Amino acid sequence: MKSIYLIGFMGAGKTSVAKELADILSLKNYDTDREIEQAASKSIKDIFAEEGEAGFRETEGQILKKMPVEDAVIATGGGVILAEQNRFHMRQNGTVIFLQASIEEILKRLSGDDSRPLLKGKNGQAAEELYHKRLPLYTEAAHYVIDTDAKSISEIVDEIMERLKK
Ligand code: S3P
């Protein structure tokens, strides 16, 4: 089957959902952030610090295109949808699922987490602005939108399975 790309804002649950979904469907599981870290032999944090966001985005685009287009569930980084060619690549080659969460829920999930360079040292308003700027891009890239607010990972996976059957 065509690969499944999970997209959505930081804290949407893409990594956990991808793992469980891949298990259930007996598909391979990838996470573009981890692949980027392996390819660069450094952490996302260090890539941002040393190469800036532009350097990170370039590697992200290259890694995305190296991911298998068959039989994989791929968790992507929250900003993968910023590049038009990434949105096009995912839509053309796979099934794209947007894990949507409200900004309130996202802020709750990310509070105290300083692993995301784009949010480090920023207040909730900055995250909210970024969220609203990106929302149309997630929607544009997605074949399906799954609302994740107040749902467990298993519930989200069940919903995706139902959607894929239709
Ligand atoms: C980013 C999201 C992160 C990671 C990087 C940039 C973004 O991934 O790719 O910090 O621009 O939204 P997660 O969405 O897995 O946190």
Side-chain angles (χ1 to χ4, degrees), residues 29-113:
N29 172 223
Y30 293 87
D31 186 313
T32 57
D33 283 347
R34 298 295 80 77
E35 298 292 326
I36 293 166
E37 290 184 321
Q38 268 175 28
S41 303
K42 51 188 165 189
S43 66
I44 304 272
K45 221 161 132 185
D46 288 346
I47 300 174
F48 267 80
E50 290 166 27
E51 300 168 29
E53 183 174 350
F56 174 79
R57 295 294 169 214
E58 191 166 329
T59 311
E60 185 175 50
Q62 288 164 1
I63 291 290
L64 179 72
K65 278 149 217 140
K66 285 191 186 150
M67 296 287 100
V69 293
E70 297 273 335
D71 300 327
V73 181
I74 303 159
T76 61
V80 79
I81 43 73
L82 294 173
E84 202 272 332
Q85 50 169 305
N86 291 350
R87 301 197 295 275
F88 182 77
H89 176 84
M90 292 187 291
R91 269 195 79 91
Q92 284 294 108
N93 294 292
T95 304
V96 186
I97 300 179
F98 171 25
L99 299 185
Q100 181 163 38
S102 66
I103 184 65
E104 292 76 17
E105 180 89 21
I106 298 269
L107 291 176
K108 242 190 280 169
R109 291 182 196 165
L110 294 180
S111 84
D113 176 345

Side-chain angles (χ1 to χ4, degrees), residues 115-126:
S115 68
R116 270 94 174 179
L118 282 182
L119 298 181
K120 201 167 160 54
K122 304 244 171 78
N123 58 20
Q125 197 188 331

